[in-house]
Amino acid sequence: MGGMMGAIGQYWWLIFVFGGTIGGIARALGAWNERRAERSLERFRIKQEAKVAVAKAAGQGRVDAATVQRELHRAVAEHQRTDDRWFAYETDLATILDYPMLIDLREPLTTEFHRARSRAELLRPTGDDESSPAAVEAYRDAVHGYTTALDLAEKEARRRRRGDFSPPEQERLARAQRLLNLASNEGASPQERQQAYARARRELDGLIDLPAAGAAELEQRLRVALEGPARPES
């Protein structure tokens, strides 16, 4: 031990020769350690930010999906309301004769309405699968177009009523309307109702075509009335 201390004491002057080098190495090691710590912190920060971004994206995806479904439900509800408005005309044959423009396909507004109605029905989502945002947007716009087209046609039809028909044609429409009311009257006899319906169709021949759905429904009711209640089997 004494010999080692003696040797160190003997070569103490080497400290001045290598002191700068040793200090530089120490400083370099310290800087490297600092950089390594900084890099570790940076990697940790990046990982944390990535986790947050993934979680946010997943949450945003759920929000977007929920928004799309809400838009779809609103569009379906509006579609049904507009269908109900139209079916009220289509199935009430006597009432629609007050607004014959709604079933006159020679009218541009009527043609546009029926075209918009067909487009909305074509784009209506089917099945239980979730629809894409683009599909829901196209359907929503089509439903809006359908509703707007009915609004325009309805307003114009109410404004014009039977004004596009000559006085004799207006009289035929009025007679057909009275006959259709009789054909729908369950208090009249089945034969009276059947005859009234046939006469109404003759009055309208060459003027307008009755809506197929309403005509089919009334004809079914007339057949049931003519056949009478079913007899119990013996």
Side-chain angles (χ1 to χ4, degrees), residues 49-111:
E49 288 181 352
K51 289 180 180 179
V52 171
V54 169
K56 185 177 180 180
Q60 187 63 42
R62 288 193 294 271
V63 170
D64 289 345
T67 300
V68 169
Q69 288 303 304
R70 284 196 297 271
E71 284 293 316
L72 176 58
H73 292 159
R74 280 195 289 266
V76 169
E78 182 182 357
H79 195 167
Q80 187 59 55
R81 286 192 298 270
T82 307
D83 274 347
D84 290 343
R85 284 173 55 198
W86 167 242
F87 291 153
Y89 287 114
E90 193 175 38
T91 56
D92 190 345
L93 301 183
T95 298
I96 204 170
L97 293 186
D98 282 329
Y99 316 108
M101 196 200 88
L102 285 175
I103 51 176
D104 187 353
L105 292 178
R106 295 170 299 180
E107 292 290 339
L109 286 176
T110 305
T111 302

Side-chain angles (χ1 to χ4, degrees), residues 171-193:
E171 291 178 4
R172 289 173 59 187
L173 287 171
R175 284 196 298 270
Q177 189 176 47
R178 290 193 295 271
L179 290 166
L180 286 172
N181 279 325
L182 177 57
S184 300
N185 184 1
E186 296 182 358
S189 69
Q191 290 74 20
E192 287 176 328
R193 296 174 64 187

Side-chain angles (χ1 to χ4, degrees), residues 32-70:
W32 181 81
N33 285 329
E34 289 180 3
R35 287 195 298 271
R36 185 174 64 175
E38 289 175 355
R39 286 195 296 269
S40 296
L41 288 174
E42 181 66 13
R43 284 196 296 270
F44 177 77
R45 184 182 64 80
I46 292 173
K47 287 181 180 180
Q48 291 301 110
E49 288 181 352
K51 289 180 180 179
V52 171
V54 169
K56 185 177 180 180
Q60 187 63 42
R62 288 193 294 271
V63 170
D64 289 345
T67 300
V68 169
Q69 288 303 304
R70 284 196 297 271

Side-chain angles (χ1 to χ4, degrees), residues 126-211:
T126 58
D128 297 328
D129 295 337
E130 290 189 357
S131 300
S132 68
V136 171
E137 182 179 3
Y139 172 60
R140 181 198 62 197
D141 291 346
V143 170
H144 180 69
Y146 170 33
T147 303
T148 301
L150 178 56
D151 287 341
L152 294 174
E154 186 178 45
K155 288 178 181 177
E156 184 65 9
R158 289 178 179 274
R159 184 186 70 82
R160 289 159 59 173
R161 296 180 69 88
R162 299 173 183 169
D164 295 333
F165 295 86
S166 67
E169 290 173 337
Q170 291 185 34
E171 291 178 4
R172 289 173 59 187
L173 287 171
R175 284 196 298 270
Q177 189 176 47
R178 290 193 295 271
L179 290 166
L180 286 172
N181 279 325
L182 177 57
S184 300
N185 184 1
E186 296 182 358
S189 69
Q191 290 74 20
E192 287 176 328
R193 296 174 64 187
Q194 183 69 30
Q195 292 171 4
Y197 179 68
R199 288 177 57 194
R201 296 301 296 256
R202 288 196 295 270
E203 290 287 356
L204 295 174
D205 188 30
L207 288 180
I208 58 174
D209 293 324
L210 291 175

